[in-house]
């Protein structure tokens, strides 16, 4: 398939419009003129284009899994105070979370790629619910807090990458850096569990790895992008004040069940007991 395609191009160098000469390895970017389309046999070209698309797609690195920081932090009182939410807004936020927490709770046992897709969808759904609850200033601050909480990993979010003007090739480069950091952190944690490292040694190594990742991230940004970074993260926030980050436990399901003793219960009725 590919052999037929390249032979056709070699025979007709006059129709080559961009990229390097046939047989050289260059970025997969070229255009086909009308004469080339007429010249190349469709039965030869079509299978090549299918193969070409598969190879190009496989060269793209999947984004790493990131922490569901929005799902985690938006339920906490410290975040509510930072956003200056009214009592009515807090109630509305908790109402929005009721539609999210059940699927999020169940997603913890899903395969990795399925879990990533589930959490991504739930985050988008939560944003859609929160948008009409918050005013413009609160919404902007919430997005800044999300970016702050993610740190360098914020570029996994399309919105953050777009605002920073980060190219896809740079994102791919950073994705690889993230995976290397995660692997090194995992190795440190294994050594800690095996007793080969003391807790303070492990913490120092992990801190060094994270700082190296931040340095690489900053080095890839130009001055304009660094100014934009300051804008989309805003004033520093102490996430150490955030206490509640887990989903509310799903309500007891009683459909098709019979209580053996006493009246039917709801988890809300057991609070504090």
């Amino acid at each position: 398939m590919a052999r037929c395609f390249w032979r056709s191009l070699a025979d007709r160098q006059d129709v080559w419009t961009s990229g390097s000469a046939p047989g050289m390895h260059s970025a997969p970017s070229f255009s086909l003129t009308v004469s080339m389309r007429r010249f190349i046999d469709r039965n030869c070209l079509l299978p090549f284009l299918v193969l070409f698309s598969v190879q190009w797609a496989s060269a793209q690195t999947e984004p790493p899994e990131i922490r569901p920081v929005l799902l985690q932090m938006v339920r906490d009182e410290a975040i509510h105070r930072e956003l200056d939410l009214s009592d009515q807004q807090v109630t509305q936020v908790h109402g929005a979370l009721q539609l999210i927490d059940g699927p999020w709770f169940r997603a913890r046992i899903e395969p990795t790629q399925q879990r990533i897709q589930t959490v991504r969808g739930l985050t988008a759904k939560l944003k859609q619910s929160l948008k009409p609850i918050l005013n413009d200033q609160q919404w902007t601050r919430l997005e800044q807090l999300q970016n702050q909480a993610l740190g360098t990993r914020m570029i996994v979010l399309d919105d953050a990458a777009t605002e920073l003007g980060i190219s896809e090739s740079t994102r791919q480069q950073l994705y690889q850096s993230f995976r290397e950091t995660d692997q090194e952190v995992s190795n440190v944690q294994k050594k800690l569990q095996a007793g080969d490292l003391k807790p303070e040694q492990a913490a120092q190594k992990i801190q060094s790895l994270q700082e190296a990742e931040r340095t690489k991230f900053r080095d890839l940004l130009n001055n304009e992008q660094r100014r934009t970074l300051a804008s989309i993260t805003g004033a520093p926030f102490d996430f150490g004040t955030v206490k509640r980050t887990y989903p509310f436990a799903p309500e007891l399901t009683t459909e098709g069940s019979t209580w053996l003793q006493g009246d039917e219960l709801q988890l809300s009725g057991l609070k504090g007991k």
Side-chain angles (χ1 to χ4, degrees):
M1 294 180 295
R3 181 181 177 185
C4 176
F5 179 75
W6 289 118
R7 186 175 65 248
S8 300
L9 290 183
D11 293 339
R12 290 293 304 272
Q13 293 183 9
D14 59 300
V15 297
W16 187 262
T17 57
S18 66
S20 57
M24 294 184 64
H25 299 285
S26 60
S29 175
F30 55 83
S31 59
L32 300 175
T33 66
V34 173
S35 58
M36 180 183 290
R37 290 192 180 94
R38 291 174 179 172
F39 180 80
I40 300 175
D41 179 71
R42 182 171 58 183
N43 294 328
C44 171
L45 177 59
L46 182 59
F48 170 78
L49 290 180
V50 172
L51 175 64
F52 175 85
S53 300
V54 171
Q55 290 176 337
W56 176 242
S58 64
Q60 302 295 304
T61 304
E62 285 294 322
E65 184 173 13
I66 57 175
R67 291 182 297 115
V69 294
L70 183 64
L71 305 185
Q72 292 174 328
M73 69 182 182
V74 77
R75 66 194 66 245
D76 189 81
E77 293 180 359
I79 299 296
H80 298 166
R81 290 193 297 270
E82 178 68 15
L83 298 177
D84 195 23
L85 299 185
S86 66
D87 291 342
Q88 181 181 7
Q89 285 178 309
V90 171
T91 300
Q92 290 174 318
V93 168
H94 284 158
L97 287 171
Q98 288 180 359
L99 302 176
I100 299 296
D101 281 354
W104 182 29
F105 183 81
R106 293 188 291 273
R108 74 195 190 282
I109 60 174
E110 293 177 349
T112 301
Q113 288 304 316
Q114 183 179 345
R115 181 175 65 248
I116 290 174
Q117 293 299 323
T118 298
V119 170
R120 186 178 299 167
L122 291 174
T123 299
K125 183 177 180 180
L126 180 59
K127 282 188 171 184
Q128 187 176 17
S129 298
L130 293 176
K131 194 67 182 290
I133 297 175
L134 308 180
N135 60 39
D136 291 343
Q137 184 176 355
Q138 290 169 331
W139 179 257
T140 297
R141 184 54 176 160
L142 180 63
E143 289 192 314
Q144 289 176 339
L145 294 175
Q146 181 184 26
N147 290 334
Q148 274 191 53
L150 287 172
T152 57
R153 310 296 173 101
M154 75 178 75
I155 62 102
V156 174
L157 304 178
D158 291 338
D159 289 345
T162 298
E163 289 193 73
L164 286 170
I166 293 181
S167 67
E168 185 58 32
S169 61
T170 300
R171 287 177 89 181
Q172 294 293 325
Q173 188 176 350
L174 286 168
Y175 292 167
Q176 182 59 34
S177 175
F178 297 161
R179 286 189 171 82
E180 291 171 359
T181 299
D182 292 343
Q183 183 59 55
E184 291 295 330
V185 169
S186 177
N187 292 339
V188 170
Q189 292 172 336
K190 289 177 181 178
K191 290 181 180 180
L192 175 63
Q193 294 172 355
D196 296 333
L197 286 175
K198 296 180 179 179
E200 57 270 19
Q201 292 175 318
Q204 185 176 5
K205 286 182 177 292
I206 290 175
Q207 184 177 359
S208 297
L209 290 168
Q210 292 172 338
E211 181 57 37
E213 180 179 297
R214 288 191 290 268
T215 299
K216 183 172 184 177
F217 177 71
R218 288 194 298 267
D219 289 345
L220 288 173
L221 302 180
N222 57 38
N223 290 335
E224 182 179 353
Q225 289 171 322
R226 291 175 184 178
R227 288 191 291 270
T228 302
L229 178 63
S231 173
I232 67 174
T233 53
F237 177 77
D238 181 10
F239 286 94
T241 61
V242 176
K243 303 301 180 185
R244 182 170 183 86
T245 59
Y246 295 109
F248 294 103
E251 191 52 77
L252 298 175
T253 301
T254 58
E255 184 178 353
S257 303
T258 302
W259 288 92
L260 298 179
Q261 183 177 0
D263 298 327
E264 182 176 318
L265 297 175
Q266 299 289 325
L267 286 181
S268 57
L270 298 175
K271 187 176 182 180
K273 297 183 180 179

